[in-house]
């Protein structure tokens, strides 16, 4: 050991499709990054240890690109898209990776590969931690991040403390329930997945030719956030109505969470929000504020779009490494 | 000052109708108690300072009954049925006391009257703190208390810390929202108030003669928890159906909160739960467990009835005084 302590950390964002590693300096600036598919092309059924080995290589690549060596790295914070036992660095399962159907001690395994401490947390939690440290909620310690995608997940920071839950299961905000006759998860109404499903149904019934045209032009039948954006831009009334339903659902979801927990700041992220921007968020915000039970100081509650885009989770990982391991 | 430090504390439960002060020893045992109407008979419009003066007298009476003097009291924890700024001991308002329509610094005023430190918190929060210290969730530090009455309120303790909220507004669980066509607060479906309202409507429509008979026999047309209990005991199918709806609402509410926050223990309190007991809670529990998103270790989540009855809030006040002030 020389006299200089390592001052960089690495954050890893592991997704179902790809992974990102980012080397982050003490000011939160990214000095180098590297991406890789989560699974090798040759083995779409690869086990967690193969994924972990790829994560280790991605970290080494990012460190290399930053012009550093592993000796410059004080610690690593890695995310997983599933429930995580943070104390053990154990990922219980990753629904989007076929063989990750039982627990895997990602933290210890990565730490063994890379020779530095590795801390692991849920991806939505780390995305929220990233936004609360460097992004839309910078400097705030009372933040709920709501990330809207296929489903809806939340990261929870209350009074400066990450909320993981007694069974490491907190944050499943999309599985809060709504009922009136039939019982449905909130994400059945309010997610990008819900919007896509309803748009697909509308196309199948011949209700929206604009969406059909957009899909034909794109040569891809997936209804992505981009397709939703384009359909709205083209003035498609069917899409407008479906999106308005989701906006109402999200607004009421935010109001429910505010009435229960009264957080200082709600950060809204995910592809849909990032693609549609403030135009999408404005009615969500209006509906939420309208349904706050406590009206006092309602204008002090922030409902803001995420600011860090695809880097949020990796930056949150870097914050985790710094909080837990120093550096 | 003598060499012996005071070892007793006092908890005060202020309600819209009556107040209770309890002197509590270091083992959580009540050594003396006193009750008083919250408002003087002669002045149903009394201002907060009159109420505070009555609280001070009630404390002195309870101390007297315990065979002690104020010199034996290390501190006081007082509740208020409304939002409280805990740092300042300020009660923003008490809906059930007509003149308490603006803020009043209850902590400092009581402390001035009584010559000991006085800490103030919301009644539902203190009821939950009482249950988590001496009652149904004894020794647990991850507890949500849900108290079902005219409305539904929650006390929140996560990882050992009381959650008050950025605007001191957390815990309004009855004002979480449910929607499908029309938007309604949860308590519109699931509270004792909702059950009473629907039963009254049924009686008005001539649908339930049993309930009408019970009210006539009692000589009181209020549909209390006792009336609901008696109607169920008499096998009234209309009441059974109305109560089953509330049980479903409460079960889904618990599942929603577990999916969001994953707490270790849910304590269910309030007159309805206490009056109907485990018979009422059993289906609530079944519906809740059925809708947990994370199934792992679901059996480790406790859903239990409150154990301290009418003493919960005052005991919670005593815990607050001890936590904040020592003694």
């Amino acid at each position: 050991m020389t006299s200089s302590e390592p001052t960089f950390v690495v954050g890893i964002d592991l997704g179902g499709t790809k992974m990102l590693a980012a080397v982050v300096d003490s000011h939160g600036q990214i000095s180098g990054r590297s991406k890789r598919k989560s699974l090798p092309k040759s083995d779409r059924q690869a086990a967690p240890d193969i994924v972990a080995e790829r994560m280790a290589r991605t970290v080494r690549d990012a460190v290399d690109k930053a012009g550093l060596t592993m000796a410059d790295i004080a610690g690593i914070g890695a995310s997983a898209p599933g429930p995580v036992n943070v104390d053990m660095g154990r990922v219980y399962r990753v629904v989007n990776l076929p063989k990750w159907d039982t627990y895997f001690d990602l933290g210890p395994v990565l730490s063994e590969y890379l020779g530095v401490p590795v801390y692991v947390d849920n991806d939505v939690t780390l995305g929220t931690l990233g936004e609360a440290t460097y992004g839309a909620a910078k400097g705030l310690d009372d933040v709920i991040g709501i990330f809207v995608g296929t489903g809806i997940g939340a990261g929870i920071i209350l009074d400066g403390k990450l909320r993981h839950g007694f069974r490491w299961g907190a944050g499943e905000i999309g599985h809060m329930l709504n009922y009136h006759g039939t019982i449905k998860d909130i994400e059945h109404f309010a997610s990008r997945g819900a919007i896509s499903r309803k748009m697909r149904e509308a196309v199948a019934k011949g209700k929206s030719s604009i969406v059909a045209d957009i899909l034909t032009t794109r040569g891809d039948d997936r209804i992505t956030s981009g397709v939703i954006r384009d359909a709205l831009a083209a003035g498609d009334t069917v899409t407008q109505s479906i999106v308005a339903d989701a906006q109402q659902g999200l607004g009421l979801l935010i109001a429910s969470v505010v009435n229960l927990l009264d957080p200082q700041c709600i950060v809204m992220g995910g592809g849909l929000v990032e693609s549609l921007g403030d135009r999408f968020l404005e009615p969500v915000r209006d509906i939420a504020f309208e349904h706050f039970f406590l009206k006092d100081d309602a204008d002090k509650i922030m409902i803001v779009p995420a600011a860090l885009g695809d880097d949020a989770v990796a930056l949150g990982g870097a914050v985790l490494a710094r909080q837990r391991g120093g550096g």
Side-chain angles (χ1 to χ4, degrees), chain A residues 175-226:
Chain A
H175 298 286
M176 294 177 75
L177 300 152
N178 197 60
Y179 62 99
H180 194 272
T182 56
I183 300 164
K184 298 281 186 195
D185 290 9
I186 300 287
E187 63 184 38
H188 184 83
F189 304 90
S191 62
R192 201 258 303 138
I195 296 173
S196 299
R197 187 189 72 242
K198 291 187 194 173
M199 286 173 68
R200 191 179 315 284
E201 288 164 5
V203 170
K205 288 182 189 158
K207 279 192 190 165
S208 171
S209 56
I210 293 178
V211 175
D213 290 351
I214 292 170
L215 294 177
T216 306
T217 306
R218 289 188 167 228
D220 182 343
D221 70 348
R222 288 176 307 159
I223 298 183
T224 60
S225 296

Side-chain angles (χ1 to χ4, degrees), chain A residues 9-289:
Chain A
V9 291
V10 178
I12 316 175
D13 177 1
L14 172 65
T17 309
K18 59 185 194 299
M19 57 179 69
L20 163 71
V23 179
V24 179
D25 70 15
S26 58
H27 305 289
Q29 296 299 311
I30 295 179
S31 314
R33 71 177 91 211
S34 179
K35 281 186 184 183
R36 188 174 255 102
K37 298 269 184 202
S38 300
L39 295 170
K41 266 190 193 161
S42 57
D43 184 5
R44 310 303 297 169
Q45 300 288 318
D49 57 329
I50 303 286
V51 177
E53 191 275 331
R54 294 172 71 81
M55 292 172 82
R57 268 197 282 153
T58 308
V59 169
R60 288 186 191 282
D61 290 352
V63 170
D64 211 44
K65 285 190 186 164
L68 301 169
T69 71
M70 285 306 295
D72 298 306
I73 305 303
I76 295 173
S79 75
V84 175
N85 179 325
V86 171
D87 290 342
M88 301 172 70
R90 170 172 290 182
V91 180
Y92 287 113
R93 77 188 76 87
V94 177
V95 172
N96 294 329
L97 294 171
K99 288 291 170 186
W100 205 320
D101 51 1
T102 183
Y103 72 83
F104 180 74
D105 289 334
L106 181 64
V109 169
L110 274 181
S111 184
E112 176 89 19
Y113 281 145
L114 292 165
V116 296
V118 179
Y119 309 95
V120 186
D121 208 328
N122 172 266
D123 58 351
V124 180
T125 300
L126 289 185
T128 303
L129 184 59
E131 292 289 345
T133 310
Y134 300 122
K138 188 172 174 173
L140 304 183
D141 68 356
D142 208 57
V143 179
I144 295 182
I146 301 179
F147 292 83
V148 183
T150 309
I152 309 176
I156 303 172
I157 305 173
L158 300 176
D159 298 311
K161 202 165 179 309
L162 296 179
R163 172 67 190 173
H164 292 111
F166 175 64
R167 300 172 298 155
W168 307 102
E172 294 291 355
I173 199 170
H175 298 286
M176 294 177 75
L177 300 152
N178 197 60
Y179 62 99
H180 194 272
T182 56
I183 300 164
K184 298 281 186 195
D185 290 9
I186 300 287
E187 63 184 38
H188 184 83
F189 304 90
S191 62
R192 201 258 303 138
I195 296 173
S196 299
R197 187 189 72 242
K198 291 187 194 173
M199 286 173 68
R200 191 179 315 284
E201 288 164 5
V203 170
K205 288 182 189 158
K207 279 192 190 165
S208 171
S209 56
I210 293 178
V211 175
D213 290 351
I214 292 170
L215 294 177
T216 306
T217 306
R218 289 188 167 228
D220 182 343
D221 70 348
R222 288 176 307 159
I223 298 183
T224 60
S225 296
V227 172
I228 299 168
R229 185 194 54 220
D230 291 353
L232 288 176
D236 182 53
T237 54
V238 172
T239 302
Q240 281 167 356
S241 157
I242 292 169
V243 168
D245 278 354
Q247 287 166 322
Q248 185 189 54
L250 287 173
L252 295 174
L253 176 63
I254 293 170
S256 290
V257 169
V258 167
N259 291 343
L260 179 65
L261 293 172
D262 191 25
Q264 180 175 10
C265 180
I266 309 275
V267 176
M268 300 293 294
L272 187 71
V273 177
E274 279 166 32
S275 175
L276 302 182
D278 221 56
R279 192 176 35 172
F280 176 76
L281 218 49
E282 201 49 60
V284 172
R285 215 181 262 128
D286 290 346
I287 292 162
F289 279 107

